Amino acid sequence: MSAPPSDVGSAAADLKGTYNPRKRGRTACTECDKSAVSEDEPPAAYTRALEQRVALLEARLSEQVDQQASDLSQPPTSGIRTQTRNNVLAEAVELLALGNIEAPAYVGASSGLNLALTLGEMVQATVWNKALPFATDASRSGRTDGSGNSRGARAINRQEMVARTAEPPADEHGTALVNVYLNQPQTRYPFLDEREIWDLHAKRMTLNTTPVQQLTKAERFGLFKLYMVYAIGAMLIQLTERNTPTPPENYYMTALQHLFTARESKTTQNVEAMLLLVLYHIRSSSYGIWYMIGLAMRTCIDLGLHTRRHESNLDHNTIQMRRRLFWSVYALERTIAICLGRPLSIPDRQIDVDLPLDPEDEAWGDMTPTQPAGANKKRSFSMSIWLLKMRRIESRIQFSIYRADKPLSALTSKMNQLYQDLESWKTSLSERFADVDLNYPMLHYHRAVRLLIQPFLPLLPPSDPYYLICLRAAGGVCQAHKKLHQSLEYGHSFIAVQHVFVAGITLLYGLWTQQHAIWSYSLSNDIRACSLVLFVMGERAPWVKKYRDAFEVLVNATMEKLENGVNNLAETAAVQMRNVTNSNTDFTTEQFDNLGDGDEGGDAWKVVAELANWIDQPEGSLVWMPDFELLQNLSPM
């Protein structure tokens, strides 16, 4: 295999040291019963809840009348509606997709039936009721199924949703929630108009006290977006172990109520709504979001957002907002699919729409945000363009390397050009943003390098420069996340957990298979950083603990091999399991196989057992590393 440029460095020196992993130890409006609202809720809030319920019932009656009038001419979707009626999130998904059959769609050479016709089956398959991070007693107490979802979780109905209506936040807190959203998700997925969000925030009290029937659909949808911004902001604050006056799920429930009364036919609003729902749920679970983000991408294609010819006769700002929306969906869909080991929705060769304009290269006109300082926001948006360019490289890596039609040995020649593309991106980034802390964008660089090279590790000797490059990149991921967690503003998602965990496992793979040939103090520090980050994540989100514990077991087993030359990872890990479970008994693999779901150490052991097959694969074989979705599904929901 040809080597990368000479400046990547030679293999690590054979350094020896010690590493001590941490030990841890009825349907009329008169049916609205005041008992559905908490006793400490003010009368004004109860009145608004009644008004919301009246509007919901009127909207439902109108839909039923329209449906009866069109039953003979429309496809038979009544079964779909019946299946999801008692699940507010599934109903929201249904609403967003079924709205798509009314308007002209993009028709490609091989267009098929509308996705809405099979939506009912999709909603059932995605288990949306368990993706809803509703604060049940089980979730508060940490009694989960090992995946962040409470055991016995159920769908939330409309009555419960209205009962959880949130009042608009006070000025200081509301501003903080908006800023958290704009400083984090918006800088990565810049599809919202910041001026609109600030304007809605300023008018929130007036809009909230206006009867729903007097609000336009645009105002109702605006309230949906605003409350989703509040919900996501509150979720991010909560993930940094700080308290919020109103729980995130209350803002989320309020947002859904406005969404139900703001139904439109096919517009970009549907895509915005799906993106916001995904950004909320991505903080609590991976279940179902691949389906939702895939639905968002297919809606983009229906609307022609992926091609330039649908931009004719549109004004400059509309074009730019459409591009920002499409590329946000693209970036998030690529990220989620790659994390879960799922196929991508659309190949890049079918996309010809340009990236949004970089505000530092072009006159942005009226699109410059006014709050806070426009210059800082321009720089943040410019960085988001650079991250979109990285997503495009990652997409090419996924299509080129992660495929089932060719063996890996036939794909090694593709590494060089893809690696050079990543290096060119890094060089351009450093030149463009010389005065900016590049820890976060470099995290994406390291992730992409690991994504590119890791599948080839079983084929590479440790002397191959690419081997060391991959391990350095995996270490870079761990160190970058460690630095991010030193900030109180960083709230991780399941994507972050996946990247840190897989990076750490990559380091252990190299150490287990090559031992002292790659050992260095730098490698030891990277493993320590991964362990620390997983520990912090596990303290903030209980579902992460199985990954933290599994990683500790594998670290202990690997160190045992370095010291004593053991050969079987699964057997060695079974002995080391007691260090995590705080047990005084040495376990065998058979005993761990008999552990029930929820037993101490059982979930972590399942992860270890899956990974052992990859790490300890026989020489000459080629076993793919288990994808993160498989690891997530090891504990039944």
Side-chain angles (χ1 to χ4, degrees):
M1 177 181 302
S2 57
S6 57
D7 60 351
V8 300
S10 60
D14 183 8
L15 300 175
K16 295 185 178 180
T18 58
Y19 170 65
N20 295 317
R22 185 188 337 82
K23 307 283 173 66
R24 290 177 305 279
R26 212 167 253 232
T27 58
C29 62
T30 55
E31 290 290 316
C32 294
D33 191 330
K34 195 168 183 175
S35 64
V37 185
S38 59
E39 294 180 358
D40 60 349
E41 209 165 3
Y46 173 66
T47 300
R48 279 190 287 277
L50 290 177
E51 292 173 345
Q52 294 276 8
R53 183 60 181 160
V54 169
L56 290 171
L57 292 171
E58 289 178 344
R60 178 59 58 207
L61 178 61
S62 176
E63 287 181 11
Q64 292 174 348
V65 171
D66 292 342
Q67 182 66 26
Q68 291 173 359
S70 61
D71 274 344
L72 296 178
S73 60
Q74 293 293 340
T77 59
S78 58
I80 297 174
R81 294 172 177 271
T82 301
Q83 293 166 355
T84 62
R85 185 58 58 216
N86 292 323
N87 185 333
V88 292
L89 181 54
E91 198 170 343
V93 178
E94 173 192 336
L95 181 152
L96 292 171
L98 288 178
N100 289 347
I101 37 185
E102 302 175 13
Y106 165 78
V107 179
S110 304
S111 60
L113 294 177
N114 193 283
L115 180 63
L117 299 181
T118 57
L119 183 64
E121 296 177 9
M122 185 205 82
V123 172
Q124 287 186 336
T126 58
V127 204
W128 271 111
N129 58 317
K130 291 191 177 184
L132 183 62
F134 193 73
T136 61
D137 291 338
S139 63
R140 282 193 293 265
S141 63
R143 297 194 303 272
T144 68
D145 61 8
S147 312
N149 302 311
S150 302
R151 294 188 184 275
R154 55 184 176 81
I156 306 303
N157 59 38
R158 291 273 188 103
Q159 288 74 20
E160 291 173 295
M161 179 177 65
V162 173
R164 297 294 294 268
T165 298
E167 291 294 292
D171 286 342
E172 183 177 357
H173 182 56
T175 299
L177 293 177
V178 174
N179 276 322
V180 168
Y181 179 90
L182 296 181
N183 290 333
Q184 291 193 50
Q186 179 71 2
T187 61
R188 304 161 199 175
Y189 312 106
F191 63 98
L192 293 183
D193 186 335
E194 296 186 19
R195 299 166 307 164
E196 179 189 14
I197 297 302
W198 284 114
D199 183 56
L200 287 166
H201 175 66
K203 298 188 300 184
R204 68 193 185 283
M205 296 298 182
T206 300
L207 292 171
N208 191 65
T209 56
T210 302
V212 175
Q213 302 92 324
Q214 296 180 22
L215 294 174
T216 66
K217 284 190 174 182
E219 289 173 327
R220 296 174 191 176
F221 189 74
L223 282 171
F224 162 75
K225 290 196 288 188
L226 179 64
Y227 273 92
M228 285 303 297
V229 167
Y230 291 155
I232 296 169
M235 175 79 79
L236 288 166
I237 291 175
Q238 192 176 75
L239 284 172
T240 58
E241 297 183 322
R242 290 176 291 163
N243 294 323
T244 58
T246 303
E249 59 266 21
N250 287 26
Y251 290 125
Y252 175 82
M253 297 292 184
T254 307
L256 287 182
Q257 295 175 56
H258 291 297
L259 178 62
F260 287 132
T261 63
R263 179 175 181 172
E264 293 282 357
S265 60
K266 184 192 321 182
T267 67
T268 55
Q269 286 185 356
N270 293 25
V271 183
E272 288 181 300
M274 294 177 207
L275 266 178
L276 287 167
L277 291 173
V278 170
L279 287 174
Y280 180 77
H281 286 277
I282 207 172
R283 305 291 166 183
S284 61
S285 172
S286 65
Y287 294 110
I289 63 172
W290 180 74
Y291 294 86
M292 176 65 90
I293 196 64
L295 179 58
M297 177 59 83
R298 285 158 178 79
T299 306
C300 285
I301 296 170
D302 263 357
L303 294 170
L305 298 185
H306 65 304
T307 178
R308 284 194 298 263
R309 65 189 183 90
H310 282 75
E311 293 181 346
S312 59
N313 302 322
L314 297 177
D315 62 84
H316 172 77
N317 285 359
T318 300
I319 290 174
Q320 292 306 309
M321 292 306 297
R322 283 168 60 95
R323 291 179 180 178
R324 288 166 61 174
L325 179 60
F326 172 77
W327 286 107
S328 293
V329 174
Y330 175 97
L332 193 53
E333 193 263 349
R334 260 50 181 171
T335 298
I336 291 172
I338 290 173
C339 282
L340 297 180
R342 293 293 192 100
L344 305 181
S345 296
I346 179 175
D348 289 63
R349 63 179 178 270
Q350 298 293 333
I351 301 170
D352 68 358
V353 67
D354 295 328
L355 289 172
L357 292 177
D358 189 325
E360 296 192 348
D361 289 336
E362 304 285 345
W364 226 19
D366 295 336
M367 295 186 69
T368 303
T370 57
Q371 274 192 1
N376 292 335
K377 288 300 173 183
K378 279 189 174 183
R379 174 53 60 96
S380 295
F381 185 75
S382 184
M383 179 65 75
S384 73
I385 301 299
W386 238 254
L387 295 178
L388 286 174
K389 294 177 180 178
M390 173 59 74
R391 295 288 84 79
R392 300 186 76 174
I393 300 175
E394 288 182 344
S395 181
R396 285 170 35 223
I397 293 173
Q398 181 76 356
F399 276 112
S400 300
I401 307 300
Y402 292 78
R403 50 195 297 179
D405 61 332
K406 291 185 178 181
L408 273 173
S409 57
L411 301 173
T412 55
S413 61
K414 295 180 179 292
M415 270 204 301
N416 287 330
Q417 184 57 57
L418 289 167
Y419 180 74
Q420 293 300 333
D421 292 343
L422 290 171
E423 290 298 290
S424 296
W425 180 90
K426 182 178 70 172
T427 300
S428 299
L429 176 78
S430 301
E431 294 173 351
R432 181 61 179 273
F433 300 98
D435 58 337
V436 175
D437 180 3
L438 297 180
N439 183 63
Y440 184 75
M442 284 302 295
L443 164 62
H444 290 260
Y445 164 80
H446 294 311
R447 281 168 29 176
V449 172
R450 185 209 59 78
L451 180 72
L452 171 63
I453 304 174
Q454 186 194 59
F456 299 100
L457 289 182
L459 302 177
L460 301 176
S463 59
D464 191 300
Y466 275 122
Y467 204 106
L468 182 59
I469 290 171
C470 184
L471 295 185
R472 285 176 174 170
V477 171
C478 299
Q479 296 291 349
H481 273 285
K482 178 182 175 181
K483 187 174 181 180
L484 284 173
H485 277 282
Q486 293 172 356
S487 167
L488 288 177
E489 300 302 320
Y490 181 69
H492 63 271
S493 67
F494 93 90
I495 293 174
V497 176
Q498 188 265 356
H499 285 301
V500 172
F501 182 72
V502 173
I505 295 303
T506 302
L507 295 172
L508 294 182
Y509 172 85
L511 194 53
W512 178 268
T513 57
Q514 305 301 332
Q515 302 179 65
H516 295 286
I518 65 166
W519 173 258
S520 69
Y521 290 110
S522 175
L523 180 64
S524 174
N525 287 334
D526 293 340
I527 293 174
R528 194 188 312 276
C530 180
S531 182
L532 176 62
V533 173
L534 288 174
F535 180 83
V536 173
M537 289 176 167
E539 292 302 302
R540 297 176 180 179
W543 68 271
V544 181
K545 291 181 179 179
K546 70 174 181 180
Y547 299 106
R548 176 199 68 190
D549 294 348
F551 186 74
E552 291 298 318
V553 169
L554 292 171
V555 168
N556 293 341
T558 303
M559 295 305 153
E560 177 71 14
K561 181 173 184 177
L562 283 176
E563 294 176 4
N564 301 318
V566 296
N567 293 318
N568 186 282
L569 176 57
E571 292 291 345
T572 307
V575 175
Q576 297 293 334
M577 196 72 188
R578 64 179 181 178
N579 294 328
V580 174
T581 60
N582 296 318
S583 170
N584 293 320
T585 304
D586 284 348
F587 290 96
T588 66
T589 55
E590 290 78 10
Q591 287 174 307
F592 273 112
D593 288 338
N594 292 327
L595 282 174
D597 296 323
D599 286 343
E600 186 178 29
D603 290 341
W605 174 250
K606 292 175 183 178
V607 174
V608 171
E610 285 293 333
L611 290 169
N613 188 45
W614 174 66
I615 296 178
D616 205 19
Q617 59 184 284
E619 186 177 353
S621 64
L622 191 59
V623 181
W624 282 79
M625 179 179 178
D627 61 64
F628 195 68
E629 186 172 43
L630 184 150
L631 299 178
Q632 282 281 76
N633 290 332
L634 288 176
S635 299
M637 293 183 295

